[in-house]
Structure formats: C-alpha cells, structure tokens
Amino acid sequence: MPLDKELVYKEHPCFGPCKKNKGRIHLPVAPGCNIECRFCDRKINEDEQRPGVTSTVLEPEEASRFIDLALMQCPEITVVGIAGPGDTLATDRALKTFRLIKDKYPNLIKCMSTNGLLLDEKADEVSELVDTLTVTVNAVDPEIEAKINKRIIYHGKVYEGVEAAKILIHNQLSGIRKVAKSGTLVKVNTVLVPGVNDKHIEDVAATVKAAGALIYNIIPLIPQNEMKEFRAPSCEELYKAREEAEVHINVFRHCQHCRADACGVPGVYDIGAKLYQGRLFVKETFSHG
Ligand code: CLF
Ligand code: SF4
C-alpha cells in the first residue's frame, strides 16, 4: 500500500521542502556498481561526509541488529535507507535486505537510492518493497550524459559514451514512470557540473517531473577522479539551478551529502562511525552520487 504523500513530507528528512528533525539509518549493504560516473571516487574514507563513501559493508541478515541498535540511540529515526556504497540494484542485496526487514519495522519508511540502470526491469520489486526512491539522473540528453558517465555494464556487456548514455537514460525514465505509477514516491538527484549540465537543469527537471518524480535535489559536484580538474559550482550557480528547476518541480534544499553508512539526523548528528565500527573494510567502493 503506497504511503500517503503528506505523511512522507512530514516524516522523511529528505522529502518535502522544509528541514525537519527526522533521522535515517543507512544500511551499507550494496557494494559494487554497474556504471562509471566520471566524478566517482572509489576510495574508502571514514572521515569524509559525502554520498556513497563508506567503510564497511553489511550482510543483509545483519541489518536488523543494526537497526535495533540505531533506534535505541536515535529516537528521531523515521527512515531506513540503502544508498550504496555502490548501486543498490547492481546486486540483489539491497532488495533482499528490505524483504528481510519489512515486516519487523512497519513504521519505518523504506528508502532506496539507485543510478537507475536496472530500474526499468526491477520496477515491480522496487515498488513492492520501497516507499521512497531516489534516482540519480545527471542528464536527459545522451551527449551531455556521456560527458558525465563513461560507461555502463549492462547484462554482461560494456557500452561506452553516447551509446551507454542512451541506455541509461531510457532505463532511468522508464523505471521512474513505472515506480511512480505504482505509488512509490520518487526523488531525482542531479549532480551539478558547471560547464557540462548547468544549462540543462530545466530540461532534466521538466522531464523527470513528467515521468512522475515528486521532488528534485541538485547536488554540487565534488571534483574528484576523472573530474578532479573541474570546479564545484558556486553558491550562486547552485541557487540559480534550483530556481530554474523549481519552475517545474518541488526542490529539496537540505541535502547533507550523506555517506552510505550514515546514521542520525542529517546535518545535526551522525553516529554511523560508532555504529558500524570494527567491521571489515572493503577495498572497492563507489559513491552513489
Ligand atoms: Fe538516505 Fe537518500 Fe533516502 Fe535520504 S539521504 S537514501 S533520500 S534517507 Fe537525504 Fe542524505 Fe541528501 Fe540523500 S540528505 S544525501 S538526499
Ligand atoms: Fe556508481 Fe554511484 Fe559511483 Fe556513479 S556515483 S559510478 S552510480 S557508485
């Protein structure tokens, strides 16, 4: 049964226009990714606060224990989210985790974040298990997307450049349409890259709104990896992009660039490092953007 939009606006820290004192626990169960964003840094760093950076991965069967621990320490938690450290649909671990926990925590909003490459084909399962979904759509024009995304691995085959971008965009939009139609509430994230997609934000906002997205979040580029010579957008550029997007869709302005193992109230406090400490380090992580 889809959640009521007003309830989500009230209870979810990342949906709705206002800042709220609501929290989320991220379960870092999803390693590995199936696309290569040019800005994605696959290193592990415990100290940094940005999307997808994480120090540990959990087994789906362990999730419940960590949720219980987190709820004891963070009464503000209303959301259990899975946001990486890789892509949540690249393996079956994220959906398996939601399946394992869904009956035990009926009052927690189930939230997931994906690059959307496999969203079209997994839309039914996502709709069944997830209340709120974020899809990162950095462009709806394949020429622009190809400047941000290098390649994808799709059903065992590698696609590069514009060819890869066409598949990715098609699957993202088709997936958003299906999931939104089922009643799951959809947010779209876009990484704002000055000189690449900054003149394209209105197109993205209008297109994802037409596909069924409810809210839009523009994240400033963190220059790293292949994009380390690029610059982050200024506050004015970010402001302008949000104003342009807002003509078409509600804009979320309180994103805290959370890690995939964050736990607490975004921007207020985080006990993720304490909660997950002592766990195995993994060599390869991707930031989910
Ligand atoms: Fe996590 Fe993302 Fe769900 Fe929120 S975070 S999966 S929608 S519960 Fe929120 Fe953090 Fe910004 Fe994400 S502040 S990075 S938007
Ligand atoms: Fe994958 Fe996310 Fe990194 Fe892009 S930013 S390569 S989707 S982990």
Side-chain angles (χ1 to χ4, degrees), residues 139-161:
V140 291
D141 174 340
E143 300 283 340
I144 298 175
E145 178 67 33
K147 292 181 184 159
I148 301 174
N149 183 259
K150 194 171 177 175
R151 61 182 149 224
I152 64 170
I153 302 167
Y154 185 51
H155 295 303
K157 199 171 158 202
V158 177
Y159 298 84
E160 309 232 344

Side-chain angles (χ1 to χ4, degrees), residues 165-281:
K166 280 183 183 162
I167 297 169
L168 179 60
I169 293 166
H170 172 273
N171 289 359
Q172 289 171 329
L173 294 176
S174 177
I176 290 170
R177 268 181 226 113
K178 288 182 184 172
V179 169
K181 201 169 165 205
S182 79
T184 292
L185 304 180
V186 178
K187 171 161 74 58
V188 166
N189 280 359
T190 295
V191 178
L192 181 63
V193 186
V196 178
N197 66 354
D198 52 340
K199 308 260 185 308
H200 183 52
I201 293 298
E202 269 209 77
D203 288 345
V204 178
T207 306
V208 299
K209 169 76 183 181
L214 193 69
I215 193 156
Y216 190 50
N217 178 24
I218 303 173
I219 302 175
L221 173 75
I222 300 172
Q224 55 190 7
N225 194 33
E226 262 188 48
M227 288 192 145
K228 64 176 182 297
E229 306 303 333
F230 286 65
R231 64 174 179 83
S234 64
C235 290
E236 291 73 27
E237 287 169 322
L238 195 56
Y239 179 83
K240 185 169 170 276
R242 286 172 173 160
E243 293 288 294
E244 286 170 3
E246 207 154 42
V247 174
H248 303 280
I249 187 169
N250 291 326
V251 171
F252 174 64
R253 293 168 192 263
H254 306 290
C255 182
Q256 297 296 324
H257 307 166
C258 311
R259 291 168 50 116
D261 58 359
C263 178
V265 178
V268 180
Y269 73 90
D270 194 286
I271 64 155
K274 200 170 114 206
L275 183 69
Y276 294 122
Q277 75 181 352
R279 300 198 46 81
L280 282 181
F281 280 65

